[in-house]
Amino acid sequence: MTSVEELKLRVRELENELIKCKQKRCTAIPRIDKMSAEVVDSNPYSRLMALKRMGIVEDYEKIRTFTVAVVGVGGVGSVTAEMLTRCGIGKVIQTSHYYINISFYHSFQPNASDGQCPSVQHALTINPDVQFETHNYNITTMDNFAHFMDRISHGALQDGKAVDLVLSCVDNFEARMAINTACNELSQIWMESGVSENAVSGHIQLIIPGETACFACAPPLVVAANIDEKTLKREGVCAASLPTTMGVVAGILVQNVLKYLLKFGTVSHYLGYNAMQDFFPTMAMKANPTCDDRHCRKRQDVYKKKEAERPKKVVEQAVEEVVVHEENDWGIELVSEQTDQELQAASGPVPDLPEGITVAYTIPDKETGTSEGETVEETEQSLEELMAQMRTM
């Protein structure tokens, strides 16, 4: 007699097959071989290619050559994968321990149910040009960790090459430390992201092994004190989650990914988000020479050697040329006819602005903008009469 577990498994398989059939019927976007800036209804890349036409990105079509590994498909990870798909990334490798929960996922995929993760099928309906590779396992175990490292180092679009970037969208320190260890050992650049348990703040961080601080260089207290993370969670209490905060963090994460891969703008080393005050702090952290991760210390030594061998840039100080007249017997000097007070009055008031913001121009007050000199009274005389009067003076 068939067991209940086997029946449940069979029902789940049938449900997955049904979803796949629905997704195939919904997929109406054909594959596109080449991105184009032509504005037509059949071209989904016209607005993306407009970034190239406007001079923001030198070559946007290069996005199709990159491979990004997204670890975790929760509130941040699922939105991140969707955004990368809409941006036309070449390949996405998704790794997650748990199937997605409907509380995170119902807006991303209305047909989803608890225990299923149809993110790939949904993403293909958005952009069938993107290649996907999915793995559902816990990366902190020995066997899965070895496979995870293999996919990072050999899973790119070009066979045998490493991925271009790893994105950490996990919700626990154990998984973050596993990603940190793998990336330090492979010298793989990655970006870490996170949202607080009260769901009103988050952050992203670019980590370049050996150059910037890794996750173990300045670890949270739970990692530094070697505390078991499971003991911190109260039974029956779940961390808060806001789709708005998840969307903001995923947005700034993907924005940083695009700036890094396509080389435009300023790539943030660390960018925080505080929803309570709408505060976005930024900073950069250097690697810790006494980091507990030996691979991190090894990458620091390699980075220091490269920096020592790199030729130093000679900064030439601009010498201000003093204009000297060959002859100035009469001591003639050019001076302004207006004092500083008069210039300030003519320029108008300057509002109080935050640091780094200046006004392009000011509007002078009507009272201070008028001349205080002598004025001529109005008269009914014509211009010819006034000119005749001046000749007799």
Side-chain angles (χ1 to χ4, degrees):
M1 185 175 178
T2 307
S3 65
V4 177
E5 288 74 14
E6 290 177 348
L7 288 173
K8 288 182 179 179
L9 180 61
R10 181 57 180 164
V11 170
R12 181 173 297 178
E13 290 176 354
L14 293 174
E15 288 176 344
N16 288 334
E17 290 297 327
L18 179 61
I19 290 174
K20 289 180 181 179
C21 292
K22 289 181 179 179
Q23 295 296 344
K24 287 180 180 179
R25 289 198 299 268
C26 294
T27 303
I29 303 175
R31 289 182 178 272
I32 298 175
D33 295 331
K34 184 175 177 59
M35 286 187 175
S36 172
E38 185 181 0
V39 183
V40 293
D41 293 338
S42 60
N43 178 23
Y45 295 116
S46 59
R47 293 187 179 273
L48 294 173
M49 293 297 288
L51 292 169
K52 179 179 178 179
R53 189 173 66 252
M54 295 178 180
I56 303 298
V57 180
E58 185 176 349
D59 183 12
Y60 189 88
E61 194 170 3
K62 195 176 180 182
I63 191 72
R64 306 181 83 174
T65 65
F66 296 117
T67 301
V68 175
V70 181
V71 187
V73 288
V76 175
S78 60
V79 180
T80 297
E82 181 185 1
M83 287 183 178
L84 290 171
T85 303
R86 294 184 183 277
C87 291
I89 196 76
K91 181 179 179 181
V92 175
I93 300 177
Q94 282 185 302
T95 305
S96 180
H97 182 196
Y98 303 104
Y99 280 123
I100 202 68
N101 185 281
I102 197 169
S103 61
F104 289 129
Y105 208 67
H106 76 280
S107 61
F108 182 48
Q109 173 49 265
N111 295 326
S113 62
D114 287 344
Q116 297 172 347
C117 186
S119 57
V120 174
Q121 289 82 8
H122 174 64
L124 288 174
T125 64
I126 299 173
N127 189 350
D129 299 333
V130 180
Q131 295 185 25
F132 285 91
E133 179 183 330
T134 59
H135 303 284
N136 180 34
Y137 53 57
N138 183 0
I139 63 171
T140 61
T141 64
M142 291 296 295
D143 293 339
N144 295 334
F145 181 75
H147 184 268
F148 173 65
M149 289 187 62
D150 177 72
R151 299 319 299 149
I152 290 178
S153 53
H154 301 100
L157 281 171
Q158 300 80 10
D159 292 337
K161 291 190 177 181
V163 301
D164 298 284
L165 208 58
V166 175
L167 305 183
S168 169
C169 303
V170 297
D171 61 353
N172 61 87
F173 297 121
E174 187 180 9
R176 286 186 175 96
M177 290 299 291
I179 298 170
N180 185 75
T181 302
C183 291
N184 278 339
E185 186 172 346
L186 299 172
S187 191
Q188 171 65 55
I189 298 175
W190 63 294
M191 291 186 188
E192 193 264 333
S193 66
V195 176
S196 62
E197 288 191 354
N198 60 8
V200 290
S201 63
H203 73 277
I204 66 166
Q205 182 179 355
L206 170 66
I207 300 177
I208 306 174
E211 182 177 347
T212 64
C214 76
F215 192 73
C217 283
L221 178 61
V222 66
V223 178
N226 198 22
I227 301 173
D228 187 359
E229 185 183 357
K230 297 176 182 178
T231 62
L232 301 178
K233 296 181 179 180
R234 290 177 293 174
E235 186 177 356
V237 178
C238 181
S241 175
L242 270 177
T244 49
T245 307
M246 301 292 183
V248 170
V249 173
I252 60 177
L253 175 62
V254 176
Q255 194 81 292
N256 216 39
V257 170
L258 294 178
K259 289 191 293 182
Y260 173 80
L261 294 177
L262 297 176
K263 302 185 185 306
F264 70 96
T266 302
V267 180
S268 297
H269 283 83
Y270 178 95
L271 178 60
Y273 169 58
N274 186 325
M276 303 298 284
Q277 287 87 27
D278 286 336
F279 180 52
F280 290 84
T282 60
M283 64 177 179
M285 294 187 293
K286 293 184 178 180
N288 182 5
T290 61
C291 179
D292 292 337
D293 193 315
R294 62 185 180 89
H295 294 291
C296 177
R297 298 194 302 270
K298 191 180 297 183
R299 300 304 169 196
Q300 291 182 50
D301 295 336
V302 174
Y303 175 72
K304 289 177 182 178
K305 290 180 180 178
K306 288 183 179 179
E307 286 295 302
E309 295 173 357
R310 186 176 300 174
K312 295 182 179 180
K313 294 182 180 180
V314 180
V315 180
E316 296 182 359
Q317 296 182 350
V319 180
E320 185 177 355
E321 296 183 0
V322 180
V323 179
V324 180
H325 297 282
E326 294 181 359
E327 296 180 0
N328 189 12
D329 298 336
W330 303 98
I332 299 175
E333 296 181 2
L334 295 177
V335 296
S336 175
E337 294 182 356
Q338 292 179 307
T339 63
D340 293 338
Q341 291 78 8
E342 291 174 338
L343 289 172
Q344 186 176 0
S347 63
V350 179
D352 293 332
L353 298 172
E355 185 179 354
I357 302 177
T358 59
V359 293
Y361 60 88
T362 58
I363 302 175
D365 294 335
K366 293 182 179 180
E367 297 180 357
T368 58
T370 58
S371 174
E372 298 180 357
E374 297 181 0
T375 57
V376 179
E377 297 180 359
E378 295 183 1
T379 177
E380 296 181 357
Q381 291 178 312
S382 64
L383 180 60
E384 290 77 10
E385 292 174 340
L386 289 173
M387 292 177 66
Q389 185 177 354
M390 290 180 63
R391 294 191 191 98
T392 60
M393 290 182 179

